[in-house]
Amino acid sequence: MKNPDVAGFLQDCVYMREPTDEEAASIVATYQPAPLNLSLPIKIVASDASPYSEPINGKFPSTQIGYVKISLVLIDLKDYDGLSKPGSRFVDPFKVAEMHRNADAISFTLPGSNIRYKGAKTVQAGFRRAVWDQLSDERTSFAKGTDFTVRGTLLDIDGGTVEMKKCPVCGFEPSGGFKFIQEKEIQPCPDCNEDVYLTDSLRIHEQMSDFGDNTSAMTRFMNAAEHLIVATLVRMLAHYQPKALSSMAFILDGPLAIFGQPARISFRLLSLYNRIAQQLKKQGYPPPIIIGLQKDGQVMEHARALNRFLPNNSYRVVDDTYRERFIIGTSALTDNFGHETYYGQDFIFKTEKGRIFTVGIPYPFGDKQNRKLFAKQKADVAFYGDQIARAFDVIRYFEFDLYENAVVPIALAHRHASISLVPGGKVLDLVTRHGLGIS
Ligand SMILES: [Zn+2]
């Protein structure tokens, strides 16, 4: 920082900085050798999402349309084994192209500023309608004619009834609130008579304004939709193919967390994944591996700064004290970091080959009732059983020279999201096509 005003200002601030050699040595001393499990999943699903916002016409740059593309790639370990020739660092491009065939992309188009969808009175009203239309149609369905859609997942994770206190249009609070159940996912407001949708409970529209920049609403939508789509796939497999599910891994791009207005569903996803793990356990199967992999953000920046001091094959749980001292650089604002948003625990993991990752794994508990106790227990690796080792094995297996600190499935999903031109109305037939027996 060359500007003396800025330098002076920074003197009064707390922020993340490079650790000194002594500091790094003491931090590194708290790392452990990373566990191995050596049993790999059979199939891996990776997801990646990208948002786009564009003026519809160069002459009217403030009239914007937003779209979000979410890609899922399914990799069968059998196929992947043959990806690069033995002893070669390079992958066979034809085989990579083949893997793209096992990918699906769904796109969602949403109105941005200055656009009123289907005759809505405001941009926000049109946005609510568009979110409902697109999250309730066949687009997010994994099995035709079933409730294995995002719409079904929203109801299921709330025990069949989603409640909402007030009308998103006029603010009226009907006695008992709105109660959305299957087949009653759209209800007129008794006061203003406008339609209120089940998906309004995600509250993403609250960030929409008629003329302002609506990028953050798109980002929130993307984040919630990606996690809900993966959850829908896991739900569907738990129902039809529990055995296949138990030998699968799911890798999401970013932390296992839902940010902003829809954050509430992070609590629901936590209980969903734990419920499914319990169900599989009863049936004699291990839970699927679910990983949130972070490419950037504070934890990753910290991990990179520490990287040169860390021995290969080491890891550490990012507990709240560690996060406060070395990552955020200030004392905690809450009794439990990420209480409102996270459903998975971050771990820093450096592989045998020296690449560094921030890996999120679902908390092994169904709820967060007692904040202080939860903050302690979420950082106790004993509660995770072999989940940490199984997740690390997936990363070890897929780390790749071609992509810095990324794993192949995510890189493929990312590439797919940027190249695929699949029309938005497509049903997700990934699983069906791969003979998991879902029709
Ligand atoms: Zn109303």
Side-chain angles (χ1 to χ4, degrees), residues 167-172 178 189-194 196:
C167 168
V169 183
C170 68
F172 178 71
F178 292 90
C189 166
D191 199 50
C192 69
N193 212 33
E194 292 285 324
V196 181

Side-chain angles (χ1 to χ4, degrees), residues 320-382:
D320 289 2
T321 318
Y322 184 94
R323 195 183 291 265
E324 287 153 22
R325 278 192 63 194
F326 305 119
I327 300 175
I328 305 173
T330 175
S331 60
L333 298 170
T334 86
D335 288 337
N336 176 32
F337 168 83
H339 189 79
E340 311 293 336
T341 48
Y342 275 67
Y343 65 94
Q345 174 63 44
D346 288 339
F347 296 85
I348 294 174
F349 168 44
K350 184 169 182 178
T351 65
E352 284 83 345
K353 289 180 183 155
R355 291 189 192 87
I356 200 150
F357 294 91
T358 301
V359 183
I361 299 174
Y363 299 127
F365 310 102
D367 62 62
K368 301 183 177 180
Q369 299 282 336
N370 181 336
R371 283 183 186 229
K372 276 193 174 152
L373 184 67
F374 187 85
K376 221 172 119 183
Q377 292 188 333
K378 73 179 181 184
D380 183 344
V381 295

